């Protein structure tokens, strides 16, 4: 029964990821939080377990996404090579930082981050992008990758909502920014998942560190399948309207985590 629940989560997260054109981290994390709570896991590590498992599932979806973008020649591999060391190291360090944060602290961080992403998605379409800039030096790109990696691990995401705006600000066209960001999600997911397994010291059933094995398998299998279905449906609907719907969903998720995070103080 537990595995069936994870298959259902994967189906929903994959469909939503394909439908809205984003990674599934901000969808998977809140659902896993609710499921792990219902399973009566230690409340102090539920958020850590949701984040680590989310990153592990992104390994599979990222490989699929990168393959599709590479066939279209959209991945800027030189930029990826500049960002990758920072992304990987940052994600591993981010997992260590998350381990030191309380569950309530993580809820507040993710809650505010989800609301910030929702704001960007809702109003971003009306903003112009300055394409006159060029990418900074290789060293600065690596440092930027480090910051993106740290934040991505703490938020349990593949980094798309951070990497894409960074590349757009420096003149990379949207299609190549999305494709290169998808490639960058792989080192983030691998290093972040390893970090959460390494730093996870609390024993939880069916898990290695902060990565739940059953959830990883179920979500990865189904999200890989249903993401394609979601993408097909997306092409039949208005992209602008889809972004606004997703922004509404993220706002609800963000406010939920903010409420959970602050309720402990009242």
């Amino acid at each position: 029964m537990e595995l069936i629940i994870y298959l259902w989560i994967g189906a929903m997260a994959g469909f939503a990821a394909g439908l809205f054109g984003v990674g599934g981290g901000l969808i998977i994390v809140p659902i896993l939080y609710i499921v792990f709570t219902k399973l009566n896991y230690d409340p102090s590590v539920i958020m850590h377990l949701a984040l680590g498992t989310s990153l592990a599932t992104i390994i599979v979806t990222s490989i699929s996404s990168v393959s599709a973008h590479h066939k279209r020649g959209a991945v800027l591999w030189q930029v990826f090579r500049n960002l990758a060391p920072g992304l990987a190291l940052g994600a591993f360090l981010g997992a260590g930082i998350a381990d030191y944060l309380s569950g309530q602290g993580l809820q507040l961080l993710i809650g505010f981050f989800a609301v910030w992403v929702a704001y960007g998605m809702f109003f971003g379409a009306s903003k112009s992008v300055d394409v006159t800039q060029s990418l900074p030096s290789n060293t600065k790109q690596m440092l930027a990758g480090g910051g993106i990696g740290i934040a991505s691990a703490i938020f349990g995401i593949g980094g798309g909502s951070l990497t894409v705006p960074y590349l757009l600000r420096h003149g990379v066209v949207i299609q190549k920014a999305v494709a290169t960001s998808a490639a960058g999600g792989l080192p983030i997911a691998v290093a972040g998942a390893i970090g959460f397994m390494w730093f996870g010291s609390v024993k939880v059933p069916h898990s290695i560190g902060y990565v739940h094995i059953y959830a990883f398998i179920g979500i990865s299998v189904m999200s890989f399948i249903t993401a394609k279905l979601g993408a097909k449906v997306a092409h039949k609907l208005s992209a602008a309207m889809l972004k606004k719907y997703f922004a509404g969903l993220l706002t609800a998720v963000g406010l939920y985590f903010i409420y959970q995070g602050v309720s402990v103080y009242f």
Side-chain angles (χ1 to χ4, degrees):
M1 179 59 67
E2 188 176 342
L3 184 57
I4 292 174
I5 292 174
Y6 298 134
L7 289 170
W8 174 80
I9 295 173
M12 188 164 60
F15 181 80
L19 182 66
F20 297 119
V22 298
L26 284 176
I27 299 171
I28 294 171
V29 170
I31 298 177
L32 282 180
Y33 173 81
I34 295 172
V35 171
F36 292 155
T37 300
K38 295 296 183 182
L39 291 173
N40 295 317
Y41 288 167
D42 183 351
S44 66
V45 300
I46 287 177
M47 279 303 300
H48 301 79
L49 195 62
L51 294 172
T53 306
S54 172
L55 285 168
T57 64
I58 292 172
I59 295 173
V60 178
T61 53
S62 178
I63 291 173
S64 174
S65 178
V66 171
S67 175
H69 285 299
H70 176 67
K71 289 178 181 178
R72 293 175 173 82
V75 180
L76 299 176
W77 288 111
Q78 181 57 51
V79 175
F80 167 78
R81 283 190 286 270
N82 294 336
L83 291 172
L87 293 173
L89 180 59
F92 187 82
L93 292 175
I97 294 171
D99 183 48
Y100 281 100
L101 295 174
S102 67
Q104 289 74 26
L106 285 171
Q107 287 171 350
L108 288 172
L109 281 174
I110 295 169
F112 284 114
F113 176 71
V115 172
W116 176 73
V117 172
Y119 176 85
M121 292 194 74
F122 194 87
F123 296 103
S126 62
K127 295 181 179 179
S128 60
V129 177
D130 182 3
V131 298
T132 62
Q133 301 182 51
S134 59
L135 284 164
S137 66
N138 295 352
T139 301
K140 289 183 178 179
Q141 289 182 53
M142 186 176 68
L143 292 174
I148 292 170
I150 290 173
S152 297
I154 293 174
F155 300 140
I157 62 175
S161 54
L162 300 172
T163 307
V164 170
Y166 170 75
L167 294 176
L168 289 177
R169 279 199 305 271
H170 294 287
V172 178
V173 297
I174 182 63
Q175 294 85 351
K176 292 185 177 181
V178 170
T180 306
S181 172
L186 187 56
I188 289 174
V190 171
I194 291 173
F196 274 99
M197 287 189 287
W198 177 268
F199 293 110
S201 57
V202 178
K203 296 294 183 181
V204 178
H206 317 303
S207 70
I208 301 175
Y210 291 134
V211 175
H212 195 286
I213 302 303
Y214 285 2
F216 164 69
I217 294 173
I219 294 172
S220 297
V221 169
M222 289 305 296
S223 64
F224 186 84
I225 297 171
T226 58
K228 297 178 181 179
L229 178 61
K232 288 183 180 179
V233 174
H235 287 293
K236 299 179 182 180
L237 301 174
S238 164
M241 188 58 66
L242 282 174
K243 285 188 175 183
K244 290 183 178 180
Y245 284 147
F246 189 59
L249 174 63
L250 285 183
T251 300
V253 168
L255 292 177
Y256 171 75
F257 275 135
I258 292 171
Y259 170 76
Q260 290 291 324
V262 300
S263 62
V264 69
Y265 300 109
F266 296 97

